[in-house]
Amino acid sequence: MLAEQGLSHLIQSLNVLYLLIGAVMILGMHAGFAFLEAGTVRRKNQVNALVKIIVDASVATVAYFLIGYPIAHKVFLLKPAADYLPTQGLELVRFFFLLMFAACISAIVSGGVAERMKFKPYITAGFFLAGIVYPLFEALIWGERFSPEFQSWVKHNFGAPIHDFAGSMVVHALGGIIALPAILLLGPRMGRYVEGKSRPIPISNIPLLALGSWILIIGWFGFNVMSSQNIETISGLVAVNSLMATAGGIIGGTLFGKNDPGFIHNGALAGLVAICAGSDIVNPVGAFVIGLVAAWIFVKAFVYEQEKLKIDDVLGVVPLHGLNGLWGGIAAGIFGQKFLWGVGGVSLLSQIFGALLTTVYGLSAGYILYGTLKAIFGLRLSEEEEFQGSDLSIHHITAYPEERIKF
């Protein structure tokens, strides 16, 4: 009896540590989001890129603790500290882990609206994204509030529940699709399109962009592997599939992007976005193909979005996260089949339905949220503020203040 109690206590302790490590790894990913954006935007907007992500994470923490987590999982965290001791705070670290997923939504949107959005409506949107918009969708696919009944309905009608192991659709596609209405409501940056002609704004700092990509790649193994949320179900298959999708994305970015460093480093992220959904059920060869296709989707859709549709999505978050998140969800329904060496138990129809649901919900939520904020606060910096740069206009300092000092 004592041995069983000791073993149970050890497993509980390991689960707490397991989720805590995963949460911290994903927290580190937010530094990756920040540096990826700082390296992409112009020098006059680098401070704002860094500030937005760190404030986002803090605002999301409050919103998800008080509102979002209870909505999705029917667990209220406002109770005496002593109540957490019997389980060693397992529910708290689960909140911490899932909070990091919620905070990704604003971080994704940030890259699309960069260089011209006001700070107040941006941060206000982040509160509602983490507190209401994301948790309602999370509750439908993953959470305890709506998921059992909804997924049972999906299984009855399409053959299997919607499978999204680590959030290709629930996190990435949703964030990328929510970003689209915000980008359209803002309009393009000054000088991006002149008299109907595209004038691309070059990446400001390749080393910072590369650093952001590397930080995201490393943290993503916590994002994917720890999504099991239990050390007894940890899977080396998830880890290797994440690695293979990364390789596929990088090689695809190199080939389809014609050696462009921006496409190469973002190709890695495209592969990782796409593999999240099926990382626990596809074969490593399938994971590589998923990553390769994801890089192709990103390169082609980014160019089409920017040059043909003239949508000024600064970091390409709609194709990178939105389209590749949808591709990842559908790919799980293809490469997860047993005849393609997958684990099985997944329905392509269910995955397509999940992708359509994500698209409709994301577009609706994005237009309602950012349309409301535009009516109340306005979304965009003035022309003078945008010309000066958000660093000086909002934060009253640049990333390189010594350059402004005359010795």
Side-chain angles (χ1 to χ4, degrees), residues 22-202:
V24 172
M25 289 180 73
I26 305 172
L27 177 61
M29 287 177 68
H30 288 268
F33 281 119
F35 282 108
L36 191 75
E37 183 174 333
T40 304
V41 300
R42 287 167 288 186
R43 287 157 62 96
K44 63 183 181 180
N45 297 297
Q46 289 179 338
V47 170
N48 183 245
L50 299 170
V51 170
K52 282 191 298 181
I53 303 300
I54 198 168
V55 176
D56 265 342
S58 300
V59 169
T61 298
V62 176
Y64 196 67
F65 182 88
L66 295 176
I67 307 170
Y69 192 75
I71 285 177
H73 301 285
K74 298 196 295 189
V75 176
F76 290 90
L77 300 172
L78 288 173
K79 53 187 178 182
D83 291 357
Y84 294 112
L85 297 181
T87 60
Q88 298 171 264
L90 181 61
E91 193 65 48
L92 288 176
V93 293
R94 183 172 184 249
F95 150 76
F96 183 9
F97 179 76
L98 293 174
L99 159 69
M100 292 296 100
F101 286 72
C104 285
I105 304 296
S106 285
I108 291 168
V109 173
S110 177
V113 303
E115 299 201 296
R116 75 265 200 209
M117 189 168 183
K118 291 180 179 179
F119 193 57
K120 184 176 181 179
Y122 173 81
I123 295 301
T124 303
F127 182 89
F128 286 101
L129 288 172
I132 298 175
V133 175
Y134 170 77
L136 285 173
F137 196 70
E138 179 190 13
L140 206 61
I141 310 299
W142 286 344
E144 286 78 19
R145 188 171 295 279
F146 307 128
S147 179
E149 295 80 8
F150 177 71
Q151 289 282 35
S152 177
W153 179 86
V154 174
K155 181 178 180 180
H156 175 75
N157 286 278
F158 300 107
I162 296 169
H163 188 91
D164 193 359
F165 180 71
S168 285
M169 294 185 289
V170 176
V171 179
H172 295 284
L174 184 65
I177 291 166
I178 285 173
L180 180 57
I183 293 165
L184 294 176
L185 288 168
L186 274 170
R189 290 167 290 174
M190 293 167 55
R192 179 62 182 88
Y193 303 102
V194 179
E195 297 180 352
K197 295 182 179 180
S198 174
R199 292 188 177 179
I201 298 172

Side-chain angles (χ1 to χ4, degrees), residues 293-311:
V293 172
W296 179 84
I297 290 171
F298 174 65
V299 172
K300 298 301 180 182
F302 179 84
V303 173
Y304 187 79
E305 175 192 38
Q306 301 277 334
E307 303 303 320
K308 299 296 183 181
L309 299 179
K310 293 182 171 56
I311 296 173

